[in-house]
């Protein structure tokens, strides 16, 4: 018994040791399992379980095969992060309006994240080549184009994707205005006045009172509106019930001296539109029988006259309407020696041919390719300035304008307005918002008006008081500049600070100082036969006037009356309106009897005549790339492209006769004031006078400008 006791104790100790070792193993396994679960919690977006499917954390997305989780920002970034590539599936091919597409892959980000200093695109393409925003930058179209606030929601899409016109809420009109259903603002007194001033006619909705029409007017069927006889069947719905365009039939028309008759004999187009490559006649006859327009040298011309990229020729598919791009020598004659061509070689049905790329033209059959100077070959390719480069060109705009998305057109950056006198009312038309405001209502028709941008004043002729009146644009001030004058035309000299006017009875052009320093008028030019209209160009110190006597003509002189000469004599019948185009240095005129709109250089060369479908053009104004004119018979103010006369649009239609027009922007290119009495400019002193103005404008206001200081500038 005693001998066996130690053996039993040993067995007990061994058993306890085994149990303790088992406990330590279990603890170790438990610790390892806890560590594994802790590690799984630290892994990005992964939850490990042998029994449960993979679950992803916030900000991650599960691959289609369930094997991995990837960051949501890696979707559609152009790189396959999932083993099955499912993160690059179902990616949109194009971004929506207001989004930017990353260069690598198909990822889209919001435009507001573009060039914000934080790379949202994996390839950082949203932060590459970013320009530093200039003052006034409000909305980015892309990385190289930004718009000022005035361009946003102005009714015109200036960004290529139209993002500047997206999410535009309803506009708010002032207390003195009526808000049309389309957001346009018109003066409150135009509401229910018997004629629709809103573009959508909503200012006449709910107006049940019957209106009285004049002797030269007709009632619409609902008796709530009046229209002119000239508006019946003119292709525009002037009556809200559209009764003015019912039961219309086309009748033959007689074309003018500078027009081309369409085959239907119911329409005339300007002669310059005939065979210009655009079908302008409704029956398309203006392009019938014309010489085919040849394709650019970098394109292939089908026998059916279409133009193709040379890569589409001999590609096994019929791209020409007559299949002339396939067959023939396409397979038998291939480009075996590319070195014989200066740039490219392609197979054609008529054999191999050397091609020059866009912007170049071939010499010696394409053995050489020379650069095309588009600025010289097509001078109208840019609205303002053109800079040629190898195989291309670049357009730029003058100060105060911005280049449009098409890369060719220029748009005014400031607010643009059109002042118009219609019978005895002066209207202010905002050319961006189309808002319409009545500045002044007089007793007699207003034949002429002009605008002083510096003082924000409108000047006009008051026939009943025989005076030149003025009002500020905000209508807070109003007054009389000079009394006891009989005139038909006024013009503001904003550089010399004078007002010019015509005296048809005396055959004179007179001037008086705008600031009242010297109220006595000065005769600038006399002995003018049948003086009609007047236009000034203070920047160059010259003025122009028209005469409608037995021999109609347009004359030019310095604004002091010097260097007088005839500018245009031919192609004139009754020039009643003049306007200067500051961008192209051309003079425009409206000929009421021809009827047409003409233009010439400031030296009288390169005369161009546009005989549009207008019955009686009376006054005109040129602003930017557009010409605006009034038609007395039709009661309309219209606009069109100034060089071609195309894209015609009726801007305003009223029952009264539109008489005078003046376009203006909210800023001009010169400031300052020089009080020298009636200082009439001449071409010789204009540049020096402008320099004096700039100097005086920058001179400290507390200092006196002495006679010695003025004498320092030699005029």
């Amino acid at each position: 018994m005693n001998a066996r006791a130690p053996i039993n104790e040993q067995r007990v100790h061994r058993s306890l040791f085994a149990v303790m070792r088992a406990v330590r193993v279990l603890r170790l396994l438990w610790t390892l399992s806890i560590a594994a679960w802790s590690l799984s919690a630290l892994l990005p977006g992964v939850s490990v379980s042998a029994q449960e499917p993979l679950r992803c954390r916030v900000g991650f997305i599960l691959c289609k095969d369930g094997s991995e989780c990837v960051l949501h920002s890696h979707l559609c970034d152009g790189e396959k992060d999932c083993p099955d590539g499912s993160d690059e599936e179902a990616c949109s091919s194009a971004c929506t309006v207001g989004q930017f597409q990353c260069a690598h892959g198909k990822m889209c980000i919001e435009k507001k994240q573009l060039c914000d200093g934080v790379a949202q695109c994996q390839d950082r393409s949203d932060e590459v080549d970013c320009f530093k925003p200039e003052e006034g930058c409000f909305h980015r179209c892309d990385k190289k184009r930004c718009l000022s606030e005035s361009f946003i929601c102005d009714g015109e899409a200036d960004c290529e994707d139209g993002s500047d016109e997206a999410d535009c809420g309803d506009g708010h009109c002032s207390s003195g205005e009526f808000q049309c259903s389309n957001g346009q603002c018109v003066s409150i007194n135009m509401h229910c006045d018997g004629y629709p001033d809103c573009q959508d006619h909503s200012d006449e909705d709910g107006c049940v009172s019957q209106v009285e029409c004049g002797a030269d007017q007709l009632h619409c069927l609902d008796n709530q509106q009046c229209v002119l006889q000239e508006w019946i069947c003119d292709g525009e719905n002037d009556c809200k019930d559209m009764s003015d365009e019912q039961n219309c039939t086309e009748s033959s028309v007689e074309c003018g001296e500078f027009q081309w008759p369409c085959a239907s004999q119911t329409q005339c187009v300007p002669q310059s539109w005939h065979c210009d490559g655009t079908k302008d006649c409704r029956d398309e006859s203006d392009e019938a029988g014309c010489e085919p327009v040849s394709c650019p040298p970098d394109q292939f011309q089908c026998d059916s006259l279409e133009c193709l990229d040379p890569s589409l020729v001999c590609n096994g598919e019929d791209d020409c309407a007559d299949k002339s791009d396939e067959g023939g020598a396409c397979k038998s004659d291939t480009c075996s020696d590319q070195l014989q061509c200066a740039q490219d070689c392609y197979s054609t049905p008529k054999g191999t041919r050397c091609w020059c790329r866009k912007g170049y033209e071939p010499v010696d059959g394409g053995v050489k390719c020379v650069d095309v100077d588009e600025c010289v070959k097509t001078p109208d390719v840019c609205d303002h300035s053109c800079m040629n480069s190898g195989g291309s060109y670049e357009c730029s705009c003058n100060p105060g304008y911005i280049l449009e998305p098409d890369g060719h057109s220029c748009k005014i950056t400031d607010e643009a307005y059109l002042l118009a006198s219609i019978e005895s009312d002066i209207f202010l038309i905002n050319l961006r918002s189309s808002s319409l405001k009545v500045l002044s209502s007089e007793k007699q028709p207003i034949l002429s008006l002009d605008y002083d941008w510096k003082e924000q004043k409108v000047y006009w002729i008051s026939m009943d008081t025989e005076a030149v009146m003025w009002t500020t644009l905000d209508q807070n001030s109003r007054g009389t500049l000079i009394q006891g004058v009989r005139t038909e035309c006024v013009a503001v000299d904003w550089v010399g600070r004078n007002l010019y006017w015509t005296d048809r009875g005396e055959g004179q052009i007179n001037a008086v100082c705008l600031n009242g320093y010297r109220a006595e008028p000065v005769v600038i030019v006399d002995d003018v036969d049948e003086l009609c209209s007047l236009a000034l160009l203070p920047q160059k110190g010259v003025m122009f006037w028209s005469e409608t006597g037995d021999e109609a003509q347009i004359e030019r002189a310095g604004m002091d009356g010097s260097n007088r000469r005839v500018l245009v004599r031919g192609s004139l019948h009754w020039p009643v309106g003049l306007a200067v185009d500051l961008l192209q240095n051309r003079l425009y005129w409206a000929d009421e009897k021809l009827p047409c709109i003409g233009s010439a250089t400031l030296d009288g060369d390169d005369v161009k005549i546009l005989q549009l479908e207008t019955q009686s053009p009376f006054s005109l104004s040129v602003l930017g790339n557009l010409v605006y004119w009034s038609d007395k018979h039709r009661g309309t103010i219209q606009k069109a492209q100034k060089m071609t006369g195309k894209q015609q649009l009726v801007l305003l239609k009223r029952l009264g006769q539109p008489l005078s027009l003046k376009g203006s922007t909210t800023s001009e290119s010169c400031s300052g004031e020089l009080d020298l009495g009636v200082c009439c400019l001449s071409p010789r002193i204009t540049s020096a006078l402008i320099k004096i103005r700039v100097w005086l404008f920058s001179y400290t206001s507390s200092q006196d400008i002495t006679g010695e200081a003025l004498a320092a500038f030699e005029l």
Side-chain angles (χ1 to χ4, degrees), residues 353-371:
R353 177 181 164 187
C354 294
W355 297 86
C356 294
R357 294 162 195 164
K358 188 174 182 180
Y360 296 88
E361 56 186 5
V363 176
D364 298 331
V367 176
K368 294 181 181 179
C369 293
V370 296
D371 175 59

Side-chain angles (χ1 to χ4, degrees), residues 521-539:
V522 175
V523 177
I524 307 299
V525 174
D526 58 7
D527 192 25
V528 182
D529 183 33
E530 300 295 330
L531 181 58
C532 186
S533 59
L534 176 67
L536 305 181
L537 183 54
Q539 294 93 324

Side-chain angles (χ1 to χ4, degrees), residues 635-649:
T636 61
I637 295 174
Q638 303 178 63
K639 67 176 182 177
Q641 290 291 327
K642 65 183 181 184
M643 297 303 295
T644 64
K646 296 195 175 185
Q647 300 179 22
Q648 295 180 60
L649 181 68

Side-chain angles (χ1 to χ4, degrees), residues 495 669-674 687-700 713:
V495 174
S669 58
C670 187
S671 294
E673 182 171 350
L674 182 64
S687 60
L689 182 56
I690 291 178
K691 289 178 182 178
I692 290 178
R693 289 181 170 283
V694 175
W695 178 76
L696 290 178
F697 184 69
S698 61
Y699 201 79
T700 305
F713 292 87

